[in-house]
């Protein structure tokens, strides 16, 4: 599956100026009429190609949403308040953005008879009761953010059943890549910043906790596949199937940046998930999803600032993988 398979469509990307959304917009733009709805609270206009139609507004503003969604074939719903800790501090406010507004998106999609690809999260599993965690595992989210993503994920699937709306929920594991920045951006961008500045690399806890880090270009790939699959009304794990410890990550980033930063240990994060790793067999089998960027290569490309080949080039499958470089 490549982005060329989605052609001549009118699509809306909510949160299209953000980290994941803007990479998706870039992949879609050459062959489609792309609209972005974003309030630029964390996204950046500079990430958007020129020929994109931008509606500046909140995802929870029905007028802005209506305007942005008029006549679209597909809505990629990425707008969210992504900070787990902010959701703990302000559960109602994050619920408004992550759930109330998501319901508006689903309702708007019904009006337009548009497919919805919704950004769900590994947060739906809470502390997973099996590893790797499959889509049928227990869902016991540990934060308001996780509860909101689980509700969105379930609403999306039930809308397929109840209203015959084409929906797909993608449960992202730990996403990383270019443009991920800011206080809620995740451990890879934090460690990279620390290593580059020669400051201590701060591991929270013993560093033996593990995560499944998935490159944003692979997340884009999954979105493009979700846009055309016949297997709607389903949720899919999107990760790599490989777990990496935070200690190993710190060492990898230190080596990749040739940094002299010391690696130090701080207190563990309260409520931290010990291990998280995706069983991606359903996405592989049903969507044809195949993660193409290994962690070392992904980090290397971030350090070098090299661009990954666009998703619609057949050569990407051959040229990306462990041991290859991007140039
Ligand atoms: C990820 C998602 C979050 C939610 C959650 C579900 C990101 C950025 N966040 O949170 O949205 O889906 O998964 O479980 O992908 N760490 C350090 N030092 C640092 C920063 C982090 O040791 O300076 C540790 C942290 O304690 C944790 C791990 O690195 O054990 C990953 O932290 P994170 O904030 O990148 O992501 P996570 O898994 O908490």
């Amino acid at each position: 599956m490549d982005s060329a398979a989605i052609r001549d469509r009118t699509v809306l990307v909510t949160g299209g100026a953000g980290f994941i959304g803007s990479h998706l917009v870039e992949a879609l733009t050459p062959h489609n009429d792309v609209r972005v709805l974003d309030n630029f609270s964390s996204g950046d206009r500079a990430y958007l190609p020129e020929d994109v139609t931008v509606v500046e507004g909140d995802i929870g503003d029905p007028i802005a949403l209506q305007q942005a969604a008029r006549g679209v074939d597909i809505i990629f719903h990425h707008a969210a308040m992504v900070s787990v800790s902010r959701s703990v501090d302000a559960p109602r406010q994050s619920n408004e953005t992550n759930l109330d507004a998501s319901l508006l998106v689903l309702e708007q999609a019904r009006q337009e008879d548009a497919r919805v690809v919704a950004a769900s999260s590994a947060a739906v599993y809470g502390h997973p009761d099996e590893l790797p965690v499959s889509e049928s595992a227990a869902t016991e989210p540990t934060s308001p953010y996780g509860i909101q993503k689980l509700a969105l994920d379930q609403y999306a699937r039930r809308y397929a059943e109840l209203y015959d709306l084409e929906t797909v929920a993608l449960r992202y594991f730990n996403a990383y890549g270019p443009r991920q920045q800011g206080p809620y951006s995740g451990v890879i961008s934090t460690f990279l910043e620390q290593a580059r500045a020669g400051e201590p690399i701060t591991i929270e806890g013993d560093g033996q906790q593990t995560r499944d880090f998935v490159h944003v270009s692979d997340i884009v790939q999954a979105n493009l596949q979700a846009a055309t699959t016949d297997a709607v009304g389903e949720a899919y794990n999107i990760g790599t199937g490989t777990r990496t410890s935070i200690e190993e990550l710190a060492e990898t980033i230190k080596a990749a940046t040739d940094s002299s930063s010391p690696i130090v240990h701080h207190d563990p994060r309260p409520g931290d998930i010990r291990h998280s790793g995706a069983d991606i067999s359903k996405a592989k089998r049903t969507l044809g999803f195949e993660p193409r960027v290994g962690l070392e290569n992904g980090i290397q490309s971030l350090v070098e600032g090299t661009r990954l080949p666009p998703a619609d080039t057949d050569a990407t499958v051959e040229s990306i993988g462990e041991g290859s470089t991007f140039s």
Side-chain angles (χ1 to χ4, degrees):
M1 175 61 54
D2 56 42
S3 65
I6 308 176
R7 273 183 181 276
D8 305 324
R9 308 281 188 92
T10 304
V11 304
L12 167 63
V13 183
T14 72
F19 162 49
I20 294 176
S22 67
H23 287 278
L24 180 59
V25 165
E26 233 172 36
L28 289 165
T29 301
H31 306 297
N32 300 280
D33 179 5
V34 180
R35 310 219 191 120
V36 164
L37 174 60
D38 203 300
N39 64 4
F40 298 97
S41 61
S42 59
D44 193 330
R45 229 170 246 278
Y47 296 156
L48 296 174
E50 264 174 21
D51 43 355
V52 162
T53 307
V54 178
V55 176
E56 182 167 356
D58 284 329
I59 184 69
D61 172 357
I63 307 291
L65 180 61
Q66 219 169 44
Q67 186 194 342
R70 192 163 297 132
V72 299
D73 304 306
I74 309 168
I75 301 176
F76 297 92
H77 179 40
H78 278 88
M81 203 169 115
V82 296
S83 164
V84 174
S85 62
R86 271 177 71 195
S87 83
V88 174
D89 293 342
R92 287 184 61 196
Q93 198 192 346
S94 70
N95 197 82
E96 270 174 29
T97 306
N98 294 341
L99 188 53
D100 297 344
S102 294
L103 268 175
L104 285 181
V105 169
L106 286 168
E107 282 299 307
Q108 196 60 44
R110 282 180 71 195
Q111 297 275 320
E112 304 293 341
D113 196 19
R115 174 175 293 216
V116 177
V117 178
S120 182
S121 168
V124 302
Y125 298 113
H127 299 281
D129 62 0
E130 59 179 46
L131 281 169
V133 64
S134 71
E135 290 83 352
S136 56
T139 45
E140 291 284 347
T142 56
S143 65
Y145 172 84
I147 293 169
Q148 293 148 15
K149 285 293 180 182
L150 178 57
L152 161 60
D153 184 304
Q154 289 182 322
Y155 267 123
R157 287 180 287 140
R158 294 294 84 86
Y159 263 61
E161 229 170 66
L162 296 171
Y163 311 116
D164 215 14
L165 189 72
E166 294 183 355
T167 64
V168 178
L170 298 177
R171 296 177 177 171
Y172 304 143
F173 280 64
N174 286 64
Y176 73 100
R179 302 176 188 161
Q180 190 180 34
Q181 57 196 13
Y184 314 112
S185 63
V187 65
I188 291 187
S189 66
T190 303
F191 282 2
L192 263 176
E193 234 172 77
Q194 292 169 335
R196 281 180 165 139
E199 288 166 2
I201 297 175
T202 54
I203 293 180
E204 296 167 349
D206 65 5
Q208 297 313 302
Q209 68 269 42
T210 57
R211 293 294 185 273
D212 185 337
F213 294 104
V214 53
H215 194 271
V216 66
S217 62
D218 285 326
I219 289 188
V220 168
Q221 180 203 154
N223 273 270
L224 301 177
Q225 290 162 338
T228 51
T229 184
D230 291 333
V232 294
E234 296 284 335
Y236 299 93
N237 285 344
I238 302 301
T240 65
T242 302
R243 285 188 291 127
T244 304
S245 76
I246 299 305
E247 176 94 52
E248 207 181 324
L249 177 71
E251 298 288 358
T252 304
I253 288 179
K254 189 175 154 139
T257 49
D258 207 12
S259 171
S260 56
S261 291
I263 294 176
V264 300
H265 288 260
H266 289 182
D267 287 343
R269 188 184 284 182
D272 194 34
I273 305 289
R274 188 67 179 162
H275 299 293
S276 173
D279 177 344
I280 55 170
S281 48
K282 183 177 173 186
K284 280 185 164 181
R285 197 175 53 243
T286 313
L287 302 178
F289 175 68
E290 199 57 62
R292 296 183 283 204
V293 185
L295 184 59
E296 266 187 46
N297 283 336
I299 288 173
Q300 200 58 44
S301 76
L302 270 180
V303 170
E304 292 166 1
T306 45
R307 302 276 305 168
L308 292 170
D312 63 350
T313 313
D314 284 344
T316 48
V317 182
E318 266 68 55
S319 64
I320 298 180
E322 290 298 344
S324 63
T325 54
F326 319 121
S327 52

